[in-house]
Amino acid sequence: MAIRKVDYLLIGGGLASANCARWLREEGAEGEILLVGREPDAPYNRPECSKGYLRGEESREEPLFRPGEWWVEQQIELLTRTSVTSLDIEARTAKLSSKEEVQFGKALIATGANVRRLNVDGCHLEQIHYLRTLGNADAIRASVEDAKNVVLIGGSYIGCEVAASMTMLGKKAMIVMQEERTLERGFGKQAGRFVEELLQDHGVSIHGEDELERFEGEGNVAKVVTRAGLEIEADAVVIGAGVAPDTGLAQRAGLEIGEKGGVRCSSRLESSATDVWAAGDICEYESVLHGEHVRIEHWDVAFNHGKTAALNMLGKDVAHEVAPYFYSVLGDWGELEYVGPAKDWDEEILRGSYDDGEFTTWYLKDGQVKAALTFGRSDDLDHARRLLTEKPVLDASQRAALGDVDSDLSA
Ligand SMILES: Cc1cc2nc3c(=O)[nH]c(=O)nc-3n(C[C@H](O)[C@H](O)[C@H](O)COP(=O)(O)OP(=O)(O)OC[C@H]3O[C@@H](n4cnc5c(N)ncnc54)[C@H](O)[C@@H]3O)c2cc1C
Protein backbone atom coordinates (compact mmCIF):
# COMPACT_ATOMS: atom_id res chain seq x y z
CA MET A 1 0.00 0.00 0.00
CA ALA A 2 1.24 3.50 -0.82
CA ILE A 3 2.50 5.60 2.06
CA ARG A 4 0.35 8.64 2.71
CA LYS A 5 1.96 11.85 3.93
CA VAL A 6 0.85 14.18 6.72
CA ASP A 7 2.55 17.17 8.27
CA TYR A 8 1.42 16.41 11.82
CA LEU A 9 0.67 12.97 13.19
CA LEU A 10 -0.99 12.99 16.62
CA ILE A 11 -0.93 9.55 18.25
CA GLY A 12 -3.60 8.89 20.90
CA GLY A 13 -7.23 9.94 20.95
CA GLY A 14 -7.31 11.71 24.31
CA LEU A 15 -7.37 15.27 25.49
CA ALA A 16 -3.67 15.97 25.04
CA SER A 17 -3.81 15.09 21.34
CA ALA A 18 -7.12 16.87 20.81
CA ASN A 19 -5.93 20.12 22.34
CA CYS A 20 -2.69 19.88 20.39
CA ALA A 21 -4.69 19.59 17.16
CA ARG A 22 -6.79 22.60 18.17
CA TRP A 23 -3.77 24.78 18.94
CA LEU A 24 -1.95 23.76 15.78
CA ARG A 25 -4.85 25.19 13.79
CA GLU A 26 -5.39 28.21 16.09
CA GLU A 27 -1.74 29.14 15.67
CA GLY A 28 -1.94 28.89 11.93
CA ALA A 29 -0.70 25.40 10.98
CA GLU A 30 -1.69 24.91 7.37
CA GLY A 31 -0.56 21.38 6.70
CA GLU A 32 -2.38 18.11 7.08
CA ILE A 33 -3.16 17.03 10.65
CA LEU A 34 -4.04 13.40 11.36
CA LEU A 35 -5.16 12.30 14.84
CA VAL A 36 -5.24 8.54 15.46
CA GLY A 37 -7.04 7.08 18.48
CA ARG A 38 -7.93 3.50 19.33
CA GLU A 39 -11.19 4.19 21.19
CA PRO A 40 -14.53 4.24 19.34
CA ASP A 41 -15.31 7.80 20.52
CA ALA A 42 -13.83 11.07 19.35
CA PRO A 43 -11.60 12.68 22.03
CA TYR A 44 -13.58 13.38 25.21
CA ASN A 45 -13.18 14.65 28.74
CA ARG A 46 -12.29 11.46 30.59
CA PRO A 47 -13.12 12.86 34.08
CA GLU A 48 -16.84 12.61 33.25
CA CYS A 49 -16.46 8.81 33.36
CA SER A 50 -16.64 8.86 37.16
CA LYS A 51 -19.04 11.80 37.47
CA GLY A 52 -22.12 12.93 35.51
CA TYR A 53 -21.71 10.43 32.68
CA LEU A 54 -21.38 7.51 35.10
CA ARG A 55 -24.60 8.57 36.82
CA GLY A 56 -26.43 8.72 33.51
CA GLU A 57 -26.90 12.50 33.72
CA GLU A 58 -25.02 13.20 30.48
CA SER A 59 -25.40 11.95 26.95
CA ARG A 60 -22.51 10.30 25.11
CA GLU A 61 -21.97 13.60 23.25
CA GLU A 62 -21.69 15.89 26.28
CA PRO A 63 -18.19 14.86 27.38
CA LEU A 64 -16.79 15.26 23.84
CA PHE A 65 -13.88 17.67 23.48
CA ARG A 66 -15.57 19.12 20.39
CA PRO A 67 -18.66 18.05 18.39
CA GLY A 68 -18.16 15.94 15.26
CA GLU A 69 -18.54 18.84 12.82
CA TRP A 70 -15.71 20.80 14.47
CA TRP A 71 -13.12 18.28 13.25
CA VAL A 72 -14.44 18.62 9.72
CA GLU A 73 -14.50 22.43 9.86
CA GLN A 74 -10.95 22.49 11.16
CA GLN A 75 -9.84 20.03 8.50
CA ILE A 76 -8.35 17.74 11.11
CA GLU A 77 -8.62 14.12 10.10
CA LEU A 78 -9.79 11.97 12.98
CA LEU A 79 -9.32 8.22 12.85
CA THR A 80 -11.09 6.44 15.71
CA ARG A 81 -10.93 2.68 16.44
CA THR A 82 -7.41 2.77 15.00
CA SER A 83 -4.09 2.14 16.74
CA VAL A 84 -0.63 3.20 15.77
CA THR A 85 1.15 -0.15 15.95
CA SER A 86 4.70 0.95 15.26
CA LEU A 87 6.72 4.08 14.84
CA ASP A 88 9.97 4.45 12.91
CA ILE A 89 11.64 7.59 14.19
CA GLU A 90 14.45 7.62 11.61
CA ALA A 91 12.19 7.10 8.60
CA ARG A 92 9.40 9.23 10.19
CA THR A 93 6.79 6.65 9.41
CA ALA A 94 4.04 5.03 11.45
CA LYS A 95 2.06 1.85 10.82
CA LEU A 96 -1.62 1.82 11.70
CA SER A 97 -3.86 -1.10 12.67
CA SER A 98 -5.80 -0.33 9.47
CA LYS A 99 -2.63 -1.47 7.61
CA GLU A 100 -2.07 2.06 6.36
CA GLU A 101 1.41 3.54 6.60
CA VAL A 102 1.85 7.23 7.28
CA GLN A 103 4.84 9.45 6.68
CA PHE A 104 4.91 12.42 9.04
CA GLY A 105 6.79 15.67 9.37
CA LYS A 106 6.25 16.06 13.13
CA ALA A 107 4.59 13.74 15.62
CA LEU A 108 2.99 13.92 19.03
CA ILE A 109 2.81 10.82 21.16
CA ALA A 110 0.01 11.04 23.73
CA THR A 111 -1.05 7.48 24.41
CA GLY A 112 -2.18 8.15 27.99
CA ALA A 113 -2.29 5.50 30.67
CA ASN A 114 -3.70 2.04 31.35
CA VAL A 115 -5.30 0.91 34.59
CA ARG A 116 -3.31 -1.29 36.95
CA ARG A 117 -5.03 -4.67 37.16
CA LEU A 118 -5.17 -6.69 40.37
CA ASN A 119 -4.52 -10.34 39.80
CA VAL A 120 -6.20 -12.01 42.80
CA ASP A 121 -8.36 -15.11 43.16
CA GLY A 122 -11.78 -14.46 41.67
CA CYS A 123 -10.63 -11.47 39.61
CA HIS A 124 -12.29 -12.89 36.48
CA LEU A 125 -15.80 -12.97 37.99
CA GLU A 126 -18.50 -10.91 36.31
CA GLN A 127 -19.44 -7.45 37.63
CA ILE A 128 -15.84 -6.58 38.52
CA HIS A 129 -14.86 -3.41 36.69
CA TYR A 130 -12.06 -1.00 36.01
CA LEU A 131 -12.79 2.57 34.92
CA ARG A 132 -10.93 4.40 32.21
CA THR A 133 -13.31 4.89 29.28
CA LEU A 134 -16.90 5.87 28.49
CA GLY A 135 -17.43 2.20 27.57
CA ASN A 136 -16.27 1.16 31.07
CA ALA A 137 -18.69 3.69 32.58
CA ASP A 138 -21.54 2.22 30.50
CA ALA A 139 -20.67 -1.27 31.75
CA ILE A 140 -20.59 -0.12 35.38
CA ARG A 141 -23.92 1.68 35.08
CA ALA A 142 -25.54 -1.40 33.55
CA SER A 143 -23.97 -3.60 36.21
CA VAL A 144 -25.22 -1.53 39.17
CA GLU A 145 -28.76 -1.03 37.90
CA ASP A 146 -30.16 -3.73 40.20
CA ALA A 147 -27.26 -3.72 42.65
CA LYS A 148 -27.55 -2.87 46.33
CA ASN A 149 -23.92 -3.04 47.41
CA VAL A 150 -21.06 -1.63 45.36
CA VAL A 151 -17.51 -2.09 46.64
CA LEU A 152 -14.71 0.23 45.57
CA ILE A 153 -11.16 -1.06 45.78
CA GLY A 154 -8.78 1.87 46.32
CA GLY A 155 -9.07 5.10 48.28
CA SER A 156 -7.75 7.58 45.73
CA TYR A 157 -9.91 10.01 43.81
CA ILE A 158 -11.43 7.35 41.49
CA GLY A 159 -12.63 5.31 44.49
CA CYS A 160 -13.97 8.41 46.25
CA GLU A 161 -15.70 9.86 43.18
CA VAL A 162 -17.28 6.56 42.20
CA ALA A 163 -18.41 6.01 45.81
CA ALA A 164 -20.10 9.43 45.68
CA SER A 165 -21.71 8.68 42.31
CA MET A 166 -22.93 5.27 43.47
CA THR A 167 -24.41 6.80 46.63
CA MET A 168 -26.24 9.36 44.50
CA LEU A 169 -27.65 6.46 42.48
CA GLY A 170 -29.06 5.00 45.70
CA LYS A 171 -26.45 2.27 46.18
CA LYS A 172 -24.60 1.36 49.36
CA ALA A 173 -20.95 2.16 48.58
CA MET A 174 -18.02 0.69 50.50
CA ILE A 175 -14.35 1.56 50.03
CA VAL A 176 -11.53 -0.89 50.84
CA MET A 177 -8.08 0.68 50.77
CA GLN A 178 -4.49 0.26 51.92
CA GLU A 179 -4.22 3.81 53.25
CA GLU A 180 -5.48 4.85 56.66
CA ARG A 181 -7.34 7.82 55.16
CA THR A 182 -8.82 8.41 51.70
CA LEU A 183 -6.64 10.53 49.39
CA GLU A 184 -3.90 10.73 52.01
CA ARG A 185 -1.13 9.85 49.52
CA GLY A 186 -1.60 13.14 47.72
CA PHE A 187 -3.08 15.40 50.35
CA GLY A 188 -2.01 14.04 53.77
CA LYS A 189 -4.00 12.56 56.60
CA GLN A 190 -5.83 15.69 57.77
CA ALA A 191 -7.38 16.58 54.43
CA GLY A 192 -7.86 12.84 53.86
CA ARG A 193 -9.88 12.64 57.04
CA PHE A 194 -12.03 15.57 55.92
CA VAL A 195 -12.88 13.77 52.65
CA GLU A 196 -13.49 10.53 54.49
CA GLU A 197 -15.93 12.17 56.90
CA LEU A 198 -17.71 13.88 54.03
CA LEU A 199 -18.18 10.48 52.36
CA GLN A 200 -19.23 8.80 55.61
CA ASP A 201 -21.75 11.57 56.36
CA HIS A 202 -23.44 10.61 53.09
CA GLY A 203 -23.47 6.91 53.93
CA VAL A 204 -20.25 5.55 52.40
CA SER A 205 -18.48 2.86 54.50
CA ILE A 206 -14.71 3.00 54.56
CA HIS A 207 -12.29 0.23 55.50
CA GLY A 208 -8.75 1.62 55.70
CA GLU A 209 -5.39 -0.03 56.40
CA ASP A 210 -6.65 -3.18 54.73
CA GLU A 211 -6.29 -4.79 51.34
CA LEU A 212 -8.15 -6.89 48.82
CA GLU A 213 -7.39 -10.59 49.36
CA ARG A 214 -9.80 -12.22 46.89
CA PHE A 215 -13.22 -12.14 45.31
CA GLU A 216 -15.78 -14.87 45.82
CA GLY A 217 -18.88 -15.75 43.83
CA GLU A 218 -20.16 -18.01 41.10
CA GLY A 219 -20.35 -16.33 37.75
CA ASN A 220 -20.99 -12.93 39.32
CA VAL A 221 -18.95 -11.51 42.16
CA ALA A 222 -20.77 -11.92 45.48
CA LYS A 223 -18.18 -11.11 48.11
CA VAL A 224 -14.99 -9.13 48.63
CA VAL A 225 -12.66 -10.76 51.17
CA THR A 226 -9.95 -8.56 52.66
CA ARG A 227 -6.54 -9.45 54.08
CA ALA A 228 -7.77 -8.51 57.57
CA GLY A 229 -10.58 -11.05 57.16
CA LEU A 230 -13.53 -8.78 56.37
CA GLU A 231 -16.15 -10.38 54.13
CA ILE A 232 -18.14 -7.71 52.32
CA GLU A 233 -21.20 -8.46 50.24
CA ALA A 234 -20.80 -7.08 46.75
CA ASP A 235 -23.17 -6.99 43.78
CA ALA A 236 -20.59 -5.04 41.79
CA VAL A 237 -16.98 -3.95 42.27
CA VAL A 238 -15.03 -1.05 40.79
CA ILE A 239 -11.25 -1.18 41.12
CA GLY A 240 -9.31 2.10 41.20
CA ALA A 241 -5.77 0.94 41.89
CA GLY A 242 -3.86 3.50 39.87
CA VAL A 243 -2.62 3.65 36.30
CA ALA A 244 0.62 3.08 34.42
CA PRO A 245 1.70 5.25 31.48
CA ASP A 246 1.11 3.52 28.14
CA THR A 247 4.65 3.79 26.81
CA GLY A 248 4.81 0.50 24.86
CA LEU A 249 4.80 2.19 21.45
CA ALA A 250 7.29 4.85 22.59
CA GLN A 251 9.66 2.24 23.98
CA ARG A 252 9.52 0.11 20.85
CA ALA A 253 10.31 3.24 18.84
CA GLY A 254 13.40 3.81 20.98
CA LEU A 255 12.27 6.99 22.74
CA GLU A 256 14.02 7.61 26.05
CA ILE A 257 11.98 6.62 29.10
CA GLY A 258 12.49 8.56 32.33
CA GLU A 259 12.75 7.55 35.98
CA LYS A 260 9.01 8.04 36.48
CA GLY A 261 8.21 5.63 33.67
CA GLY A 262 7.12 8.27 31.16
CA VAL A 263 8.54 9.51 27.85
CA ARG A 264 11.40 11.75 28.93
CA CYS A 265 11.01 15.22 27.46
CA SER A 266 12.61 18.63 27.60
CA SER A 267 10.81 21.59 29.16
CA ARG A 268 9.44 22.18 25.63
CA LEU A 269 7.94 18.66 25.72
CA GLU A 270 10.20 17.39 22.95
CA SER A 271 11.18 13.74 23.39
CA SER A 272 14.68 12.30 22.86
CA ALA A 273 13.88 12.20 19.11
CA THR A 274 13.88 15.41 17.10
CA ASP A 275 10.41 16.48 15.97
CA VAL A 276 8.63 13.99 18.23
CA TRP A 277 6.82 15.51 21.18
CA ALA A 278 4.93 13.93 24.08
CA ALA A 279 2.01 15.20 26.14
CA GLY A 280 -0.40 14.22 28.90
CA ASP A 281 -0.20 11.19 31.18
CA ILE A 282 2.85 9.68 29.43
CA CYS A 283 4.91 12.86 29.35
CA GLU A 284 7.76 13.09 31.86
CA TYR A 285 8.91 16.64 31.29
CA GLU A 286 11.58 18.83 32.74
CA SER A 287 9.48 21.17 34.85
CA VAL A 288 10.83 24.68 35.27
CA LEU A 289 8.46 25.08 38.21
CA HIS A 290 9.54 21.95 40.07
CA GLY A 291 13.23 22.01 39.14
CA GLU A 292 13.14 18.35 38.08
CA HIS A 293 11.43 15.96 35.68
CA VAL A 294 7.82 15.28 36.65
CA ARG A 295 5.00 13.14 35.26
CA ILE A 296 1.49 14.15 36.27
CA GLU A 297 -1.78 12.37 35.48
CA HIS A 298 -4.24 15.28 35.59
CA TRP A 299 -6.81 16.43 33.08
CA ASP A 300 -5.60 20.04 33.12
CA VAL A 301 -1.99 19.01 32.60
CA ALA A 302 -2.92 16.95 29.53
CA PHE A 303 -4.93 19.91 28.25
CA ASN A 304 -2.12 22.44 28.70
CA HIS A 305 0.57 20.06 27.45
CA GLY A 306 -1.39 19.78 24.21
CA LYS A 307 -1.09 23.53 23.72
CA THR A 308 2.60 23.74 24.64
CA ALA A 309 3.42 20.85 22.31
CA ALA A 310 1.51 22.51 19.45
CA LEU A 311 3.32 25.82 19.93
CA ASN A 312 6.68 24.06 19.87
CA MET A 313 5.76 21.98 16.85
CA LEU A 314 5.25 25.35 15.17
CA GLY A 315 8.72 26.51 16.26
CA LYS A 316 7.68 28.92 19.03
CA ASP A 317 10.24 27.56 21.52
CA VAL A 318 8.24 27.86 24.75
CA ALA A 319 8.84 26.02 28.01
CA HIS A 320 5.87 24.39 29.73
CA GLU A 321 5.45 26.58 32.81
CA VAL A 322 1.79 26.17 33.76
CA ALA A 323 1.30 25.26 37.45
CA PRO A 324 -0.37 21.82 37.44
CA TYR A 325 -4.01 21.98 38.54
CA PHE A 326 -6.19 19.09 39.64
CA TYR A 327 -9.85 18.88 40.60
CA SER A 328 -12.02 16.12 41.97
CA VAL A 329 -15.78 16.30 42.28
CA LEU A 330 -17.54 14.29 44.95
CA GLY A 331 -21.06 13.99 43.57
CA ASP A 332 -22.97 17.14 44.44
CA TRP A 333 -21.31 17.30 47.86
CA GLY A 334 -18.40 19.50 46.88
CA GLU A 335 -15.22 19.83 44.88
CA LEU A 336 -11.55 19.56 45.79
CA GLU A 337 -9.11 21.69 43.85
CA TYR A 338 -5.35 21.48 44.03
CA VAL A 339 -2.21 23.00 42.57
CA GLY A 340 1.13 21.30 43.05
CA PRO A 341 1.92 18.49 43.26
CA ALA A 342 4.02 18.40 46.43
CA LYS A 343 6.29 15.36 46.50
CA ASP A 344 6.82 15.78 50.23
CA TRP A 345 6.30 18.54 52.74
CA ASP A 346 7.29 19.33 56.32
CA GLU A 347 4.53 21.75 57.25
CA GLU A 348 0.79 22.02 56.63
CA ILE A 349 -0.94 25.36 57.25
CA LEU A 350 -4.72 25.42 57.38
CA ARG A 351 -6.68 28.48 56.24
CA GLY A 352 -10.32 28.14 57.25
CA SER A 353 -11.55 25.01 58.95
CA TYR A 354 -12.19 21.38 58.08
CA ASP A 355 -15.17 21.41 60.46
CA ASP A 356 -16.82 24.27 58.55
CA GLY A 357 -16.15 22.52 55.24
CA GLU A 358 -14.34 25.53 53.79
CA PHE A 359 -10.58 25.49 53.82
CA THR A 360 -7.28 25.72 52.01
CA THR A 361 -4.38 23.55 53.15
CA TRP A 362 -0.94 24.87 52.21
CA TYR A 363 1.85 22.31 51.92
CA LEU A 364 5.32 23.74 52.58
CA LYS A 365 8.84 22.41 52.45
CA ASP A 366 11.65 24.45 54.03
CA GLY A 367 9.34 27.46 54.19
CA GLN A 368 8.34 27.37 50.50
CA VAL A 369 4.82 26.61 49.32
CA LYS A 370 4.87 23.40 47.26
CA ALA A 371 1.13 22.83 46.87
CA ALA A 372 -2.30 23.94 48.00
CA LEU A 373 -5.57 22.04 48.31
CA THR A 374 -8.86 23.85 48.62
CA PHE A 375 -12.47 23.03 49.26
CA GLY A 376 -14.75 26.03 48.78
CA ARG A 377 -11.95 28.64 48.62
CA SER A 378 -10.99 28.59 44.92
CA ASP A 379 -9.66 32.16 45.01
CA ASP A 380 -6.74 30.98 47.15
CA LEU A 381 -5.44 28.99 44.20
CA ASP A 382 -4.28 32.11 42.36
CA HIS A 383 -2.10 32.95 45.34
CA ALA A 384 -0.88 29.39 45.42
CA ARG A 385 0.09 29.58 41.74
CA ARG A 386 2.02 32.80 42.40
CA LEU A 387 3.82 31.31 45.40
CA LEU A 388 4.68 28.18 43.42
CA THR A 389 6.07 30.22 40.56
CA GLU A 390 7.95 32.89 42.54
CA LYS A 391 9.10 30.39 45.22
CA PRO A 392 9.66 32.84 48.12
CA VAL A 393 10.84 31.39 51.45
CA LEU A 394 8.13 32.56 53.84
CA ASP A 395 8.99 33.94 57.27
CA ALA A 396 6.90 33.30 60.37
CA SER A 397 4.53 36.24 59.82
CA GLN A 398 3.97 35.34 56.16
CA ARG A 399 3.21 31.76 57.14
CA ALA A 400 0.81 33.03 59.81
CA ALA A 401 -0.93 35.11 57.11
CA LEU A 402 -1.49 31.96 55.01
CA GLY A 403 -3.43 30.51 57.91
CA ASP A 404 -5.47 33.62 58.65
CA VAL A 405 -8.67 33.87 56.59
CA ASP A 406 -8.78 37.62 57.20
CA SER A 407 -5.34 38.33 55.77
CA ASP A 408 -5.03 39.62 52.20
CA LEU A 409 -2.63 37.25 50.45
CA SER A 410 -2.18 39.46 47.41
CA ALA A 411 -0.46 42.13 49.55
C1 LIG B 1 -12.53 7.93 35.50
C2 LIG B 1 -11.52 9.02 35.46
C3 LIG B 1 -11.78 10.21 36.10
C4 LIG B 1 -10.83 11.22 36.09
N1 LIG B 1 -11.10 12.38 36.76
C5 LIG B 1 -10.18 13.35 36.79
C6 LIG B 1 -10.44 14.56 37.50
O1 LIG B 1 -11.50 14.73 38.10
N2 LIG B 1 -9.50 15.52 37.50
C7 LIG B 1 -8.30 15.37 36.84
O2 LIG B 1 -7.48 16.30 36.86
N3 LIG B 1 -8.02 14.24 36.15
C8 LIG B 1 -8.93 13.23 36.12
N4 LIG B 1 -8.66 12.08 35.42
C9 LIG B 1 -7.37 11.95 34.72
C10 LIG B 1 -7.43 12.57 33.32
O3 LIG B 1 -8.60 12.17 32.69
C11 LIG B 1 -6.19 12.16 32.53
O4 LIG B 1 -5.07 12.70 33.19
C12 LIG B 1 -6.25 12.66 31.10
O5 LIG B 1 -7.37 12.14 30.44
C13 LIG B 1 -5.00 12.27 30.34
O6 LIG B 1 -5.15 12.61 28.99
P1 LIG B 1 -4.17 11.99 27.87
O7 LIG B 1 -4.63 12.59 26.60
O8 LIG B 1 -2.77 12.11 28.30
O9 LIG B 1 -4.45 10.42 27.90
P2 LIG B 1 -5.80 9.57 27.71
O10 LIG B 1 -6.98 10.34 28.13
O11 LIG B 1 -5.53 8.26 28.36
O12 LIG B 1 -5.85 9.36 26.16
C14 LIG B 1 -4.95 8.54 25.45
C15 LIG B 1 -5.71 7.88 24.34
O13 LIG B 1 -4.79 7.29 23.43
C16 LIG B 1 -5.25 6.01 23.06
N5 LIG B 1 -4.11 5.20 22.63
C17 LIG B 1 -3.19 4.57 23.39
N6 LIG B 1 -2.27 3.96 22.62
C18 LIG B 1 -2.62 4.20 21.34
C19 LIG B 1 -2.06 3.84 20.08
N7 LIG B 1 -0.95 3.11 19.98
N8 LIG B 1 -2.68 4.25 18.96
C20 LIG B 1 -3.80 5.01 19.04
N9 LIG B 1 -4.37 5.37 20.20
C21 LIG B 1 -3.78 4.99 21.33
C22 LIG B 1 -5.95 5.49 24.30
O14 LIG B 1 -6.85 4.45 23.99
C23 LIG B 1 -6.64 6.76 24.78
O15 LIG B 1 -7.88 6.92 24.14
C24 LIG B 1 -9.60 11.04 35.40
C25 LIG B 1 -9.33 9.83 34.75
C26 LIG B 1 -10.28 8.83 34.78
C27 LIG B 1 -9.99 7.53 34.08
Side-chain angles (χ1 to χ4, degrees), residues 12-13 15-16 38-39 46 51 84 112 132 157 281 299 327:
L15 188 72
R38 71 176 169 210
E39 287 188 56
R46 205 167 290 287
K51 307 178 182 68
V84 173
R132 184 76 194 167
Y157 75 91
D281 285 3
W299 177 90
Y327 71 98

Side-chain angles (χ1 to χ4, degrees), residues 52-58 129 134-146 166 169 171:
Y53 185 79
L54 179 63
R55 296 193 294 271
E57 294 162 6
E58 291 176 9
H129 301 273
L134 290 175
N136 298 149
D138 289 342
I140 293 170
R141 207 169 56 240
S143 173
V144 303
E145 201 165 323
D146 300 318
M166 290 299 120
L169 289 175
K171 315 295 166 192

